Amino acid sequence: MTKPEIFRYGLGLRKPHYQDFLERRVPVDFVEVISENFMIDGGRPLDILRRVRDRYPVALHGVSMSVGSADGLDRRYLARLRQLVDEIDPIFVSDHLCWTRIDGFQSHDLLPLPYTQEALDCVCANVAQAQDMLGRTMLIENPSSYIAFADSEMTEWQFLDALCARTGCELLLDVNNIVVSAANHGFDAIDYLHGIPAAHVRQIHLAGHSQGEDLLVDTHDRPVPESVWALYACALDRLGPVATMIERDDDIPPLETLLMELDIARAVQPSRRAA
């Protein structure tokens, strides 16, 4: 598979930095926004996104599609997302390998799935429906997780490989989430990199995490740690050049701080450990 055009380095567009992106040229190749924040009919946030889109390519990243929901996708949600997709013409449309909704209740949390054939059938049907309704190939992101299911029949990377093969979807590889889940569940992060379908990875997320009492917690509130930078270098061995961005969702620093962190990503070279 030949990868299409690559937008190399980006940042998550967050409210404290709106004016920076509107008033000057920020040295990024793209920005990413949380889709749900802009799935509205009008108002200031959508106006800002339209103006930013005139200056930078935009990726849409969702947190509540709930591709793992056994009761299917919310068609009203998909219709609102399709409206935003048609207006913004994003470079990527992504969401997470998780479920967030059941019986009309939205948990607003990225809940884990058992990696079983039954769950795979459900996720494949939902991803295929989403791609049909959006008219776009979806990127699915690997989650951070804190529990594992005893009845899982495959690893997470095997599940993602099968999902891509059956639906034609692509992957958003969150390197921080691999580090967090590997520490929490005791698997080798390098095995994960070897197991994913490399040709399907279109985008990478880099972020920070925190040490909880017993587990690592995906908090997105601190700089990218050395463990994530090291695994990112290994990922480059398998993936080659791929769109990479820094995520920060809490304790958001000045834009210049994030740009300096993005410069670190630009300087990272393949480690050859994962070759």
Side-chain angles (χ1 to χ4, degrees):
M1 180 182 298
T2 300
K3 293 183 180 179
E5 182 180 1
I6 295 171
F7 300 85
R8 291 299 304 276
Y9 299 101
L11 291 176
L13 178 66
R14 301 298 183 257
K15 188 175 181 180
H17 304 144
Y18 283 174
Q19 291 307 120
D20 291 287
F21 281 91
L22 290 174
E23 293 176 357
R24 65 186 179 95
R25 188 67 194 177
V26 179
V28 297
D29 299 314
F30 69 99
V31 298
E32 182 185 88
V33 301
I34 303 301
S35 304
E36 289 80 0
N37 291 343
F38 302 93
M39 289 165 55
I40 50 181
D41 292 330
R44 184 171 182 268
L46 188 55
D47 176 65
I48 288 172
L49 180 58
R50 289 168 176 152
R51 292 159 60 195
V52 169
R53 178 62 183 86
D54 288 339
R55 299 165 63 88
Y56 307 88
V58 171
L60 297 178
H61 184 52
V63 295
S64 56
M65 182 177 289
S66 196
V67 299
S69 284
D71 52 359
L73 301 182
D74 183 339
R75 294 182 68 87
R76 293 170 300 177
Y77 173 94
L78 289 176
R80 295 198 309 273
L81 181 56
R82 175 62 189 257
Q83 182 178 347
L84 182 64
V85 166
D86 287 347
E87 177 168 3
I88 299 302
D89 189 23
I91 56 173
F92 305 126
V93 182
S94 62
D95 211 296
H96 299 78
L97 181 65
C98 71
W99 63 281
T100 65
R101 177 181 46 79
I102 188 169
D103 293 333
F105 172 75
Q106 180 62 250
S107 70
H108 299 291
D109 203 356
L110 307 178
L111 302 171
L113 293 166
Y115 295 130
T116 63
Q117 188 61 51
E118 181 181 14
L120 178 63
D121 292 342
C122 172
V123 173
C124 286
N126 288 338
V127 169
Q129 180 188 9
Q131 292 184 141
D132 286 345
M133 288 193 67
L134 296 175
R136 295 291 184 106
T137 300
M138 289 284 301
L139 273 62
I140 301 299
E141 178 181 343
N142 58 295
S144 290
S145 61
Y146 311 99
I147 62 169
F149 291 87
D151 60 347
S152 285
E153 300 163 357
M154 62 192 89
T155 63
E156 184 172 287
W157 52 93
Q158 290 170 332
F159 192 99
L160 288 169
D161 184 50
L163 175 63
C164 291
R166 286 178 53 177
T167 68
C169 75
E170 308 281 18
L171 297 180
L172 193 173
L173 189 69
D174 192 311
V175 176
N176 175 65
N177 289 355
I178 298 175
V179 170
V180 168
S181 294
N184 291 344
H185 302 307
F187 63 77
D188 189 329
I190 300 299
D191 289 343
Y192 196 113
L193 292 181
H194 277 294
I196 58 168
H200 284 269
V201 178
R202 297 284 308 283
Q203 186 184 0
I204 284 176
H205 276 177
L206 300 172
H209 55 260
S210 301
Q211 178 64 59
E213 183 175 347
D214 299 307
L215 302 170
L216 293 186
V217 181
D218 179 26
T219 51
H220 288 194
D221 63 353
R222 57 193 62 205
V224 177
E226 181 54 39
S227 57
V228 175
W229 287 126
L231 190 61
Y232 176 54
C234 293
L236 295 181
D237 288 309
R238 285 218 68 207
L239 306 178
V242 64
T244 296
M245 60 156 286
I246 305 289
E247 276 193 301
R248 185 73 70 88
D249 294 317
D250 203 1
D251 195 18
I252 298 174
L255 180 61
E256 296 305 321
T257 300
L258 293 178
L259 289 173
M260 287 189 291
E261 198 168 18
L262 196 60
D263 283 340
I264 298 174
R266 290 187 174 97
V268 171
Q269 299 297 317
S271 72
R272 302 305 169 198
R273 283 184 57 201

